Amino acid sequence: MSADLTNQTNMAERLQRSHLRDLVPYASARRSMSGGGIWLNANEAPRTPSTAPGGVDNNRYPPFQSAVLNQAYADYAGVAVDQVLSGRGSDEAIELLIRAFCEPKQDRILICPPTYGMYAISAQTHGSDTVQVPLQQRGGANWQLDLEGIRNNLSSVKLVFVCSPSNPLGNPLDGADLIALLELVGEQALVVVDEAYIEFTAQRSSHTMGVASWLERYPQLVVLRTLSKAFGLAALRCGFVLAASSIITVLQKVIAPYPLPQPTIDGAINALQADAIAAMWQLRDDTINQRQRLLKELQGRSWVQQIYPSVTNFVLLKVSDAEGLVQQLSADGILIRNQSKQFALSNSVRISIGSATEMDQLIARLPA
Ligand SMILES: *Cc1c(COP(=O)(O)O)cnc(C)c1O
C-alpha cells in the first residue's frame, strides 16, 4: 500500500464516529453470500405470485451495492468503482455522511448560505449544530466562498457542505476557491461538494466535469451526484457518493442493507448506457435553450429587480413581490418556488426550466 493510501485510510477511520470503529455492519443474506443456484437464505418467496405476463419477478432482495451500477457510474464519472456508493438520492448521502462522521451534540457541520436546505435539516434531525458562513457577493450576483470566515469557524466541524453549481443561486463556485477550501480544511474535516447540477455546466465530457478528478489528490473530498436533475429520473431515487474508498467503507457501515430497489438499479443502469447518456445531453441542451429564452423574456420587465446568472436548470429572480407572483401564477396552475426565506434572498423566486410548451405557458402568464 502506498503512503498516500495509508493516509486516506487513517483519515476516514480517524474522522468517523468512534463507535463505528468496531461496528460490524449487518451481514444481510445478499451481502454475506453470493453465487449458488438455490437461494434459501433470505426468507424470500420462490416467485412473485401475481407477476403480469412478461413482467419481472421481484421476489429477490436486491444486492447491497450493484457492482454493475457502480461500475457504470464510475465509468461515467471517471473514478474507480471502489470510490462509488449508490443510494437513495443525494439526500440520503447527506444524511449518511452526518450519521457516520458527526457525534450528536458535539460535532458540527458548516454550510455557506444561501444554499441547499437539506444539509441543515439533516444535521438538525441528527442533533448536530450547523455553523453558517454566508457566501460573499463578489461583484453583482456572483456569490462565492468566504474562505477567511470558514477558516475562523472550523472548530468542532467535521463536514463542510458546499453546493456547486449552487441551488438556489444557480452559479458555480470558483475552482481556485474550492482548492483553497480543501487545503485550509486539511485533514480536520471532509469537504462535501454537492454537484447535483454539474451536467448543466459540462462540455458533454463527463470525465472532466466538476471536481471528481481531484479525488486522488484530496482524500478529504466527497462529491455528491444524482440522477434526479439532468438525467430526468427524480422518481427513481438514485444518487451517488464519490470519495476515497476508505470513506465509502465507513458509509457502508451506516447505509441500509438494501438501499436501492431492484427497479431503481435496473433503471439507473439503463440511464448510464451510451445511448441514454447521449439522450441526457440532448435534454440538457434543450433545457439550456429554454433557460436562455426565458432569461431574454424577463429582461426589461419592471417587476424583475435582479436576474441571477444561471448554469443550471433553474433561474433565481429578485422581484418586487415574490409571494404575489407565486400566488398569481399558482392561480393559473403554474407552480414556482418562493425562496424569500433564504439568507439574503428577500423577495426572490426560483423557476425551474420545463419543456418548450410549459415555458410558452409561463411566459404568456408573466406580468408585463
Ligand atoms: C435536488 C438536489 C439534491 C437532491 O437530489 P436527490 O438525489 O434527488 O436526493 C441534492 N442537492 C442539491 C443541491 C439539489 O438541488
Side-chain angles (χ1 to χ4, degrees), residues 136-148:
Q136 281 178 332
Q137 228 166 327
R138 238 176 254 167
N142 182 21
W143 292 72
Q144 296 293 337
L145 296 174
D146 171 8
L147 291 167
E148 210 37 53

Side-chain angles (χ1 to χ4, degrees), residues 7-16 186-187 189-190 219-220:
N7 242 349
Q8 290 182 16
T9 306
N10 290 345
M11 196 177 123
E13 286 183 349
R14 185 171 48 75
L15 287 179
Q16 72 186 330
E187 300 211 342
L190 301 183
Q220 66 273 50

Side-chain angles (χ1 to χ4, degrees), residues 21-41:
R21 241 163 249 152
D22 305 316
L23 183 139
V24 180
Y26 174 65
S28 65
R30 218 52 5 115
R31 199 168 169 179
S32 57
M33 292 179 87
S34 59
I38 301 177
W39 289 3
L40 304 175
N41 65 342

Side-chain angles (χ1 to χ4, degrees), residues 68-97:
V68 179
L69 173 57
N70 287 6
Q71 186 63 58
Y73 201 82
D75 292 345
Y76 170 75
V79 301
V81 68
D82 66 354
Q83 295 174 316
V84 178
L85 181 81
S86 44
R88 261 178 309 145
S90 12
D91 282 346
E92 178 175 43
I94 293 164
E95 199 191 314
L96 292 176
L97 284 161

Side-chain angles (χ1 to χ4, degrees), residues 2-158:
S2 73
D4 222 5
L5 281 176
T6 313
N7 242 349
Q8 290 182 16
T9 306
N10 290 345
M11 196 177 123
E13 286 183 349
R14 185 171 48 75
L15 287 179
Q16 72 186 330
R17 290 170 64 192
S18 55
H19 71 282
L20 292 181
R21 241 163 249 152
D22 305 316
L23 183 139
V24 180
Y26 174 65
S28 65
R30 218 52 5 115
R31 199 168 169 179
S32 57
M33 292 179 87
S34 59
I38 301 177
W39 289 3
L40 304 175
N41 65 342
N43 294 353
E44 297 152 333
R47 61 186 170 84
T48 305
S50 58
T51 306
V56 183
D57 272 9
N58 276 311
N59 58 313
R60 296 296 175 193
Y61 280 104
F64 164 66
Q65 287 288 298
S66 161
V68 179
L69 173 57
N70 287 6
Q71 186 63 58
Y73 201 82
D75 292 345
Y76 170 75
V79 301
V81 68
D82 66 354
Q83 295 174 316
V84 178
L85 181 81
S86 44
R88 261 178 309 145
S90 12
D91 282 346
E92 178 175 43
I94 293 164
E95 199 191 314
L96 292 176
L97 284 161
I98 294 173
R99 261 174 43 214
F101 291 99
C102 292
E103 210 63 66
K105 298 201 162 87
Q106 180 182 316
D107 296 329
R108 312 192 292 174
I109 70 159
L110 188 149
I111 64 169
C112 303
T115 191
Y116 184 55
M118 281 306 292
Y119 316 134
I121 297 282
S122 279
Q124 202 180 359
T125 59
H126 180 71
S128 284
D129 284 341
T130 296
V131 187
Q132 305 203 15
V133 180
L135 294 174
Q136 281 178 332
Q137 228 166 327
R138 238 176 254 167
N142 182 21
W143 292 72
Q144 296 293 337
L145 296 174
D146 171 8
L147 291 167
E148 210 37 53
I150 293 173
R151 187 198 307 278
N152 294 333
N153 283 280
L154 279 176
S155 107
S156 304
V157 167
K158 282 289 199 65

Side-chain angles (χ1 to χ4, degrees), residues 94-253:
I94 293 164
E95 199 191 314
L96 292 176
L97 284 161
I98 294 173
R99 261 174 43 214
F101 291 99
C102 292
E103 210 63 66
K105 298 201 162 87
Q106 180 182 316
D107 296 329
R108 312 192 292 174
I109 70 159
L110 188 149
I111 64 169
C112 303
T115 191
Y116 184 55
M118 281 306 292
Y119 316 134
I121 297 282
S122 279
Q124 202 180 359
T125 59
H126 180 71
S128 284
D129 284 341
T130 296
V131 187
Q132 305 203 15
V133 180
L135 294 174
Q136 281 178 332
Q137 228 166 327
R138 238 176 254 167
N142 182 21
W143 292 72
Q144 296 293 337
L145 296 174
D146 171 8
L147 291 167
E148 210 37 53
I150 293 173
R151 187 198 307 278
N152 294 333
N153 283 280
L154 279 176
S155 107
S156 304
V157 167
K158 282 289 199 65
L159 296 166
V160 176
F161 284 95
V162 298
C163 188
S164 182
S166 158
N167 177 6
L169 295 170
N171 69 314
L173 292 177
D174 187 74
D177 281 3
L178 286 175
I179 290 182
L181 173 66
L182 286 158
E183 302 273 352
L184 82 86
V185 167
E187 300 211 342
Q188 138 164 22
L190 301 183
V191 173
V192 185
V193 181
D194 186 340
E195 294 189 332
Y197 300 94
I198 197 66
E199 280 83 6
F200 293 99
T201 72
Q203 304 290 322
R204 286 198 182 221
S205 164
S206 58
H207 284 194
T208 54
M209 70 187 185
V211 299
S213 65
W214 302 357
L215 284 177
E216 296 309 321
R217 215 168 356 135
Y218 295 106
Q220 66 273 50
L221 173 62
V222 177
V223 184
L224 303 186
R225 296 282 190 82
T226 180
L227 298 187
S228 297
K229 305 286 160 58
F231 279 88
L233 291 169
L236 279 190
R237 306 305 302 129
C238 184
F240 302 91
V241 179
L242 311 179
S245 61
S246 54
I247 295 175
I248 300 296
T249 302
V250 171
L251 296 177
Q252 286 183 346
K253 294 185 186 181

